[in-house]
Amino acid sequence: MTLHHPVPAVLRAAGTALILDVAGPGLPTVLHWGADPGDLGDTAQLLLGLRPSWPVASVDAPVRLRLLPQQVDGWVGRPGIAGHRDGVPPHLRLALTEPVTVTGVDGEGGRLAVRSHDETVGLTVSTIVEMDAFGVVRLRHEITNTGPGMYVLGEAACLLPVGDEAAEVLDFTGRWARERSPQRRPLAHGVTTRESRRGRTGHDATGLFLVGEPGFGFRHGQVWAVHASWSGNHVHYTERLPEHRPVLGAGELLAPGEIRLAPGHAYRTPWVSFAWSGAGMDGLSDRLHLHLRARPGHPKTSRPVMLNTWEAVYFDHRLDKLTALAERAAQVGVERFVLDDGWFAGRRDDSAGLGDWTVDPVVWPDGLHPLVDRVKALGMEFGLWVEPEMVNPDSDLARAHSDWILAAPDRAAPAARNQQVLDLAHPEAYAHIATHLHALLDEYDIAYLKWDHNRDLLEAVHAGTAGVHAQTQAVYRLLDDLRARHPGVEIESCSSGGARIDYGILERTDRIWASDTNDPIERQRIQRYTGLFVPPELMGSHVGAATAHTTGRTSPLQIRLATALFGHAGIEWDITTCTEEELDHLTAWTALYKRLRPLLHNGRTVRVDHPDPSAYLHGVVSDDERHAVFALLQAESSEGSVAARLRLPGLAPDTTYTVAVCQDFQAPASHPSTAVPWITTGSVRASGAALATVGLAAPLLDPEQCLVLELRAE
């Protein structure tokens, strides 16, 4: 279907709709984004019914929210585009240069293309709005300088209005090893904004920025969300004005003078993704997970069990130690062995060597071949850690090419982790790194790169101007180049843990590392909220040692295994020190993960609004609703002496399920009185409706105990 003059234009899919008035001559006006109203009937009457009054003591016309809001329409909020050219007005008055085009199939999404121009200012803007079959909306603008002289772009954001019902804001903050900490507050008049000037997404990045009805939860309430698909500086915001209902917006956060458009040159915003749900945050995850899974490059193979060597050996690289670790890994069922930091020249600690991407001849006199060959002979894939965007001042590269550091001349940025940032927008620096990475991948049978990025970009300067935008584009180009030349190699995005998790980096990688902490209690919250917009198969989750090196907390093996199960599972532990009992548990866990991963990595994530705040209850339900797995994990002691019931939503109401306890995850009762009969028996039968509404009796767990349940339809 192709329409040139639809009045209004409607993109709809999966119960959501975006309705726009495209009757020109100005840009389309957004009338509605949210629940699909179905047949619009007499559209002329609908447009009449949606025409608002004039705002009191303001402009003498209704305020229109266009795809790019402008002050000429009475909009006094944040502009969609801001910039300047000497001698011309600073405010845009964009008019259509050709009819709006809408393509797609009604009910399955579609695409709207808008081209507009301001002759006086000398800018042309091409806007694309897409809705996929899952109801996720993507929006971007391309801004071209069509006038004389330089146009300096200051801001370019994508935004959509939300419903008047929106009254609360939920976003996320964090730090190293404690990412994705929720913070909720009222949606007040004015701007609520989250800006990042870290040069990377950041440990404190919100990831998903949400507004919703009062008290919205995982399974209830209307909620709207936005995400900027960009790995550099960025902004997410909501704004409420007296003249208009709230809006959500996001985009790249531009530094002063960073984007200077010469005549004929263009800037393209990153894609900004929007999603609405009428069934709480899990409804958002349903859409966003399916959106990512539908990408052509989404991993299609089973996510292999990994062992990463970092917390097993740190910088102590010895062939005999690593070979023994690989043999033990194969014994317990590991399928991919990843050699972490410490393998390259001069790298005995984190103070030297970054940038010198050749195998250390002292530690590895025969190169990595003996280890790679042994790993392959054991039936595992081999992976390698790299950090191509950084350089140690104590490195051959930095000594030879100090001009390749991302900084102003003679003004080095503050050191962080003994590192500076390598200016990958510098053609020679880019070529140097690309050549070394290609050489490694050509010489060794490497199936996987753990791509790290361990510091913020401070005072980033490239060619005399702010350099974050150019650096981010160069990193994308490097990843695209590597994937084109080595299409079988998977890449993980790690950034001192979870500091670079966004859809921009996920376009080019196959996995994210959610956090550097393997403490299972910390991981419960981190994975719960990272999983709002990242499906489990893309989220690395590892079993660590009993005592977490990030928190010092000592946790039972059972809860460490249960936590790592719900992601792309792996091990980060010197398992050569394990007891036979621990090895047996690990072997059983890898077997369980392999059996369940078709469900875990293709099903719908379910997070329960559990009444006990001291516990987490979550699961995954298959698309056909015939198979599910749920976990109850106790973070601290409960206030009650009898546990809250387990209500398990997301199942087929009229289907009967057998609910069975996974025996490796059955916590012993602390006292005889706390035993639950159906758990003692091992299983129980109930309908999906009963499980969702009435629930099951639960055991009273002690802190750091857990219960894992598998459900099968009869």
Side-chain angles (χ1 to χ4, degrees):
M1 176 181 68
T2 300
L3 300 174
H4 295 285
H5 296 286
V7 183
V10 183
L11 304 179
R12 53 160 52 102
T16 187
L18 178 64
I19 305 175
L20 304 102
D21 182 357
V22 296
L27 272 72
T29 302
V30 183
L31 301 175
H32 171 76
W33 167 47
D36 186 352
D39 184 5
L40 298 182
D42 186 333
T43 56
Q45 287 294 302
L46 175 67
L47 292 176
L48 173 63
L50 289 175
R51 191 174 301 156
S53 64
W54 299 3
V56 175
S58 183
V59 292
D60 296 335
V63 174
R64 295 176 177 271
L65 183 74
R66 301 189 186 275
L67 281 175
L68 275 168
Q70 303 164 109
Q71 286 205 350
V72 68
D73 296 310
W75 178 258
V76 293
R78 286 183 70 133
I81 294 176
H84 73 274
R85 186 201 312 274
D86 291 344
V88 301
H91 302 109
L92 294 179
R93 290 190 173 188
L94 293 165
L96 297 179
T97 60
E98 57 190 56
V100 174
T101 300
V102 182
T103 58
V105 178
D106 191 34
E108 298 181 13
R111 185 176 187 269
L112 184 144
V114 183
R115 188 172 176 84
S116 59
H117 182 63
D118 186 319
E119 184 69 31
T120 302
V121 176
L123 281 188
T124 294
V125 181
S126 296
T127 299
I128 300 296
V129 184
E130 296 178 348
M131 179 183 285
D132 67 14
F134 316 110
V136 175
V137 176
R138 295 202 309 168
L139 204 159
R140 82 181 322 169
H141 307 295
E142 185 173 52
I143 302 155
T144 304
N145 180 6
T146 55
M150 194 72 67
Y151 184 85
V152 181
L153 184 65
E155 182 172 357
C158 300
L159 68 158
L160 288 176
V162 303
D164 295 305
E165 306 92 330
E168 291 184 348
V169 179
L170 175 64
D171 63 353
F172 303 90
T173 185
R175 59 165 174 83
W176 176 76
R178 205 183 191 281
E179 297 87 343
R180 253 74 63 206
S181 296
Q183 48 188 21
R184 189 188 286 246
R185 52 201 178 281
L187 198 170
H189 277 210
V191 179
T192 302
T193 184
R194 292 296 308 280
E195 296 182 346
S196 174
R197 293 178 174 82
R198 298 180 179 277
R200 58 175 173 171
T201 320
H203 291 106
D204 61 338
T206 185
L208 208 61
F209 188 93
L210 306 92
V211 299
E213 292 180 316
F216 69 87
F218 285 111
R219 306 292 299 178
H220 66 276
Q222 284 198 90
V223 60
W224 295 259
V226 65
H227 171 82
S229 304
W230 183 248
S231 308
N233 294 338
H234 61 275
V235 59
H236 294 81
Y237 67 94
T238 184
E239 184 169 18
R240 185 175 217 150
L241 300 172
E243 296 91 346
H244 204 282
R245 64 191 188 278
V247 300
L248 274 180
E252 182 181 4
L253 184 63
L254 300 175
E258 188 166 22
I259 302 298
R260 300 169 61 86
L261 298 176
H265 286 210
Y267 166 82
R268 180 180 290 178
T269 70
W271 283 111
V272 175
S273 298
F274 298 85
W276 167 86
S277 165
M281 292 180 282
D282 277 4
L284 293 177
S285 295
D286 286 347
R287 297 188 191 278
L288 293 169
H289 291 184
L290 290 169
H291 170 73
L292 288 179
R293 286 169 175 167
R295 300 171 301 155
H298 192 77
K300 298 298 191 293
T301 59
S302 296
R303 303 291 77 216
V305 181
M306 292 177 47
L307 184 140
N308 190 67
T309 66
W310 177 241
E311 291 186 25
V313 301
Y314 295 100
F315 290 105
D316 184 17
H317 282 207
R318 290 177 285 124
L319 180 59
D320 58 347
K321 172 66 174 176
L322 288 163
T323 299
L325 185 61
E327 290 169 349
R328 187 59 57 84
Q331 175 188 335
V332 300
V334 168
E335 298 161 300
R336 176 181 287 163
F337 184 90
V338 182
L339 182 65
D340 210 286
D341 193 1
W343 56 268
F344 48 97
R347 190 67 166 177
R348 302 281 55 81
D349 55 38
D350 69 356
S351 67
L354 280 178
D356 299 338
W357 298 107
T358 56
V359 178
D360 193 320
V362 176
V363 179
W364 300 98
D366 299 314
L368 297 176
H369 293 291
L371 180 61
V372 174
D373 292 346
R374 184 59 182 144
V375 167
K376 296 290 293 181
L378 290 166
M380 296 183 291
E381 296 177 345
F382 182 79
L384 193 65
W385 179 95
V386 292
E387 192 174 3
E389 299 159 69
M390 303 301 163
V391 59
N392 287 128
D394 184 4
S395 67
D396 292 342
L397 177 64
R399 285 184 284 269
H401 296 287
S402 60
D403 57 318
W404 289 2
I405 291 175
L406 187 64
D410 302 318
R411 294 185 68 170
R417 291 192 59 166
N418 304 301
Q419 297 174 194
Q420 293 289 342
V421 182
L422 192 64
D423 184 0
L424 289 178
H426 191 298
E428 294 178 27
Y430 180 98
H432 173 88
I433 293 299
T435 297
H436 280 75
L437 292 176
H438 289 313
L440 282 167
L441 293 171
D442 287 338
E443 180 176 357
Y444 297 103
D445 187 359
I446 296 172
Y448 180 85
L449 288 177
K450 179 183 176 183
W451 187 294
D452 216 337
H453 177 281
N454 274 309
R455 63 157 294 169
D456 294 341
L457 278 57
L458 304 176
E459 293 191 344
V461 175
H462 166 74
T465 192
V468 171
H469 176 82
Q471 179 76 359
T472 306
Q473 287 192 318
V475 172
Y476 286 171
R477 188 166 65 252
L478 179 58
L479 287 164
D480 291 343
D481 181 24
L482 285 168
R483 293 178 72 90
R485 284 188 52 177
H486 310 277
V489 175
E490 292 191 0
I491 301 175
E492 173 186 324
S493 173
C494 175
S495 187
S496 48
R500 186 159 65 180
I501 300 175
D502 58 78
Y503 287 0
I505 203 69
L506 275 172
E507 286 183 27
R508 298 157 174 90
T509 55
D510 306 279
R511 186 184 200 251
I512 54 95
W513 184 229
S515 179
D516 272 349
T517 187
N518 289 315
D519 180 320
I521 300 302
E522 296 295 320
R523 270 280 181 160
Q524 282 297 313
R525 184 197 62 258
I526 291 167
Q527 293 178 187
R528 190 175 187 84
Y529 291 110
T530 303
L532 280 178
F533 65 110
V534 177
E537 66 269 24
L538 298 182
M539 184 165 51
S541 183
H542 290 181
V543 180
T547 301
H549 83 143
T550 54
T551 64
R553 184 180 358 233
T554 300
S555 300
L557 179 56
Q558 184 189 64
I559 196 170
R560 286 147 50 210
L561 295 171
T563 300
L565 184 66
F566 289 85
H568 181 180
I571 299 170
E572 192 109 0
W573 182 13
D574 182 2
I575 58 174
T576 64
T577 64
C578 287
T579 65
E580 288 300 320
E581 182 181 8
E582 288 173 327
L583 293 174
D584 288 344
H585 283 298
L586 277 172
T587 303
W589 171 77
T590 60
L592 178 66
Y593 169 77
K594 292 173 185 178
R595 181 172 66 80
L596 291 178
R597 63 188 167 191
L599 164 64
L600 294 168
H601 299 164
N602 295 281
R604 290 180 295 107
T605 296
V606 175
R607 286 159 294 232
V608 181
D609 295 300
H610 195 48
D612 183 355
S614 67
Y616 294 95
L617 178 57
H618 63 89
V620 179
V621 178
S622 65
D623 285 341
D624 64 6
E625 299 176 331
R626 298 193 61 79
H627 189 199
V629 60
F630 280 85
L632 172 70
L633 302 104
Q634 196 73 32
E636 56 185 340
S637 58
S638 175
E639 291 181 351
S641 60
V642 175
R645 285 182 181 175
L646 302 178
R647 292 179 174 86
L648 309 178
L651 304 166
D654 297 329
T655 298
T656 297
Y657 294 87
T658 298
V659 185
V661 178
C662 292
Q663 292 303 317
D664 263 11
F665 299 101
Q666 180 176 347
S670 300
H671 307 283
S673 62
T674 64
V676 175
W678 78 265
I679 290 179
T680 302
T681 302
S683 68
V684 70
R685 296 168 64 252
S687 71
L691 290 169
T693 58
V694 181
L696 298 173
L700 183 66
L701 300 179
D702 286 334
E704 299 187 78
Q705 288 186 335
C706 61
L707 183 71
V708 177
L709 307 174
E710 186 173 4
L711 287 72
R712 291 278 189 182
E714 295 187 356

